[in-house]
Amino acid sequence: MPKPITLSRYAPVALASAFVLVSACDTQPTPQAPAKEPRTETVVVTLPVLDRAELLAAIDRAASAYASGQVAERENLSGRRFLIRQPMGCQAPLAAGSAAPQGVGVLMKIENAPDLKLTLSPADWTKSLERPEGAGGWEAAEGFWLAWPWLRTDVCPQPPLSADEPVVEGDAVEPSLETSAPSMSHTAGLASVFEVDGSRLKRRMGRAYEYTLRGDGKTPPVKDQGGYRLVMEGRIAAFSDGRSIRCHAANADQRPACVAAVHLERVAFETSGGQQLSEWRGG
């Protein structure tokens, strides 16, 4: 007869311990995946393109600071893109063979032909920028005046509203940053600057931008009643002090003439309606 199996008094404890061990193994936490590092995104802020009104406003602030003997605050204009449209050829065409003012776009007659031409001859401002407070480091500077700087739009100036107001027409004055006589029309401009040892392919070297408006046989072309538009596009540069606008005046009673240093990339002629007639890129 088989003997009965007797359990040790420690058996329940052993069984309980084994159960605890098994349970502990079953309840161990599963390893967590490493936390992902937060993604850092680079936000590129694109500043709006400067237009005629905004650039003229910056020039006005620089002129005010210069006239009051203050140092104009830097406006971080360097590197900003600009696109300026300004009126040209608003009056009757200049006589054929007459000397066109430098740095100003004009409409002229052509000798021995009924045709007209739009022309813009860059002014040579290289010597004007050789002062210690000037550009420094520029090999050449070609200048362009912003016509009618009191206008913030690109339309031709209109005649006085009242017929009783006198209309004063002065002779064309060759632009100069250092003229002794005040010139209300030549007080804001762009200096297209070229670095020392830089490429000369973009320089005009005295060559004018010109476009011929051809007539029909002996009939002259019909002039755009709204005038024409000169388009200048590029990036704002900086002078040696880091500022982009420089001013000069011969005396305290003269409005300062201020110019902005630029890298000019495109010049174009357009009709008053925006139709492009001709363009030049890179010189």
Side-chain angles (χ1 to χ4, degrees):
M1 182 175 182
K3 295 181 180 181
I5 298 175
T6 58
L7 296 175
S8 170
R9 61 175 179 172
Y10 299 105
V13 177
L15 291 174
S17 299
F19 178 77
V20 171
L21 290 174
V22 173
S23 300
C25 294
D26 293 340
T27 58
Q28 285 184 355
T30 56
Q32 299 291 328
K36 294 182 179 180
E37 296 183 1
R39 295 173 57 186
T40 57
E41 297 183 358
T42 303
V43 179
V44 179
V45 179
T46 302
L47 297 176
V49 178
L50 292 170
D51 60 13
R52 174 184 170 89
E54 292 168 325
L55 185 54
L56 284 172
I59 288 176
D60 283 347
R61 290 190 291 270
S64 176
Y66 177 89
S68 60
Q70 301 176 357
V71 178
E73 296 183 0
R74 297 186 183 181
E75 300 196 36
N76 296 322
L77 296 177
S78 181
R80 291 276 301 273
R81 293 202 62 81
F82 69 89
L83 196 159
I84 296 175
R85 283 183 170 85
Q86 69 169 354
M88 65 178 294
C90 298
Q91 290 86 16
L94 297 180
S98 59
Q102 292 186 333
V104 180
V106 294
L107 178 66
M108 297 185 65
K109 294 181 180 180
I110 298 179
E111 288 186 292
N112 302 320
D115 302 331
L116 302 175
K117 69 176 179 179
L118 296 168
T119 180
L120 170 65
S121 297
D124 186 0
W125 288 352
T126 303
K127 292 183 178 181
S128 299
L129 299 179
E130 289 179 348
R131 301 178 181 183
E133 72 270 23
W138 303 130
E139 184 180 37
E142 297 176 344
F144 306 88
W145 291 109
L146 299 181
W148 301 289
W150 51 87
L151 281 176
R152 291 300 185 263
T153 63
D154 62 359
V155 300
C156 287
Q158 301 300 308
L161 297 178
S162 173
D164 297 332
E165 296 183 26
V167 179
V168 180
E169 295 184 359
D171 295 334
V173 179
E174 183 175 347
S176 172
L177 286 176
E178 302 173 10
T179 178
S180 58
S183 175
M184 290 302 294
S185 60
H186 299 139
T187 56
L190 303 180
S192 180
V193 293
F194 304 91
E195 292 85 353
V196 176
D197 299 329
S199 173
R200 298 191 176 188
L201 296 178
K202 296 182 179 181
R203 293 169 58 175
R204 296 298 295 177
M205 307 292 288
R207 292 176 293 120
Y209 300 95
E210 289 189 346
Y211 176 78
T212 301
L213 300 166
R214 302 193 181 280
D216 184 9
K218 296 183 179 181
T219 304
V222 178
K223 176 183 174 295
D224 192 330
Q225 294 302 311
Y228 300 89
R229 301 295 177 266
L230 167 61
V231 182
M232 292 181 286
E233 182 179 0
R235 289 186 181 276
I236 304 292
F239 294 107
S240 57
D241 60 357
R243 292 177 174 82
S244 298
I245 301 174
R246 177 195 151 199
C247 300
H248 174 74
N251 53 67
D253 294 325
Q254 178 181 343
R255 177 183 170 88
C258 300
V259 297
V262 302
H263 292 302
L264 192 60
E265 300 172 359
R266 175 176 173 259
V267 173
F269 293 149
E270 294 180 349
T271 65
S272 61
Q275 178 185 355
Q276 180 174 292
L277 300 174
S278 184
E279 75 166 5
W280 298 261
R281 292 182 179 271

